Amino acid sequence: MNRERIDIYLTADGDGYLVAAAGTRLAAELVAALGGLRHGWTQDVGAAAKLPGWRAVRRDLDACGYSILPDTDFAALLLAPRLQTPTVVDPAQRTEAA
């Protein structure tokens, strides 16, 4: 399984995505259970592999060969880290650069 290239499928109702390693053959039962899937595109994971959200996707890929994501979670994976909502750090926990 090539974990550096993925296929992205859109669910039939349009409110979710299925991510699988590129070239993975999806079980007919899975496709039927999701109401059908349309292949959207194939892409390299690239720098997105460093995003925290991709860790969960990678665990799913390793465990069962695919990951199902709602559109809100999927959109967050596409944003560059500098465009994501910043994490607020308690001032008491901050360390200042010397």
Side-chain angles (χ1 to χ4, degrees):
M1 168 174 59
N2 180 359
R3 295 170 21 161
E4 303 306 318
R5 191 157 179 77
I6 55 174
D7 286 331
I8 299 163
Y9 297 86
L10 293 84
T11 59
D13 59 10
D15 66 352
Y17 297 85
L18 183 136
V19 177
T24 298
R25 187 175 181 113
L26 301 173
E29 298 84 18
L30 171 65
V31 174
L34 294 171
L37 294 171
R38 292 185 321 255
H39 185 264
W41 65 94
T42 300
Q43 73 180 47
D44 291 328
V45 174
K50 296 177 185 174
L51 296 174
W54 277 105
R55 289 185 201 129
V57 171
R58 182 156 295 192
R59 281 193 302 270
D60 288 348
L61 291 175
D62 289 343
C64 61
Y66 62 89
S67 184
I68 300 171
L69 302 164
D71 58 354
T72 52
D73 290 351
F74 185 76
L77 292 176
L78 298 178
L79 291 176
R82 63 185 173 76
L83 298 177
Q84 294 181 17
T85 304
T87 301
V88 177
V89 177
D90 182 354
Q93 296 178 347
R94 290 186 189 157
T95 58
E96 300 299 325

